[in-house]
Amino acid sequence: MSYIKPLSKLIDELTALPGIGSKSAARLAFHILKIPKEKAYAIANAITDAKEKVFCCSICKNLTDTEPCSICSSEKRDRSVICVVESPKDVVAIEKTREFNGLYHVLHGAISPIDKIGPDDIFIKELVQRITPEIKEVIAATNLTIEGEATAMYISRLLSPLGVNVTRIANGIPVGGDLEYADEITLSKALDNRRKIL
Ligand code: ZN
């Protein structure tokens, strides 16, 4: 026996979401049918609203509902530093630290030959276009993965000849971590990146 059409359609759409299997989709669909109409409509409206109002900032490519985004248009940010990240989620993570007051550039991915993602498939060209004499430093804050490292290296090779100081976020032992549990690569990188104690 299969589900009635409107229900199976809802389950199908939910299954298409990442991380949702057919069992979870069925559970969500039955939940949606059970909750009051207003709550279900609120979910549908939130989806429509997000799709209609959220877009990429023309300058930094971060997700925004204003053009340019609040960071690009802020007078309080340091316009001489651009922090390059892979995803809008990384901007949120860095903003939470309150340690960075410069501008951002969101690549929306990383170079990955295996996945056939080249420099032209992410917003690297747009980053180069932002480099003016005003920009003193570009921080490559891409992930510490093979793809993230390759992307950081590519950006460095591209921007260094333009006179920009390209830096890379440090890597090493996580705060609260024990040396004995760190893998060899992390430990050797932590040793490589050692610094003077004040
Ligand atoms: Zn922006």
Side-chain angles (χ1 to χ4, degrees), residues 57 60 69 72:
C57 169
C60 71
C69 75
C72 285

Side-chain angles (χ1 to χ4, degrees), residues 8-26 28:
S8 70
K9 170 87 178 130
L10 178 57
I11 293 171
D12 278 354
E13 294 296 342
L14 291 169
T15 310
L17 297 172
I20 308 261
S22 54
K23 273 190 187 168
S24 299
L28 286 171

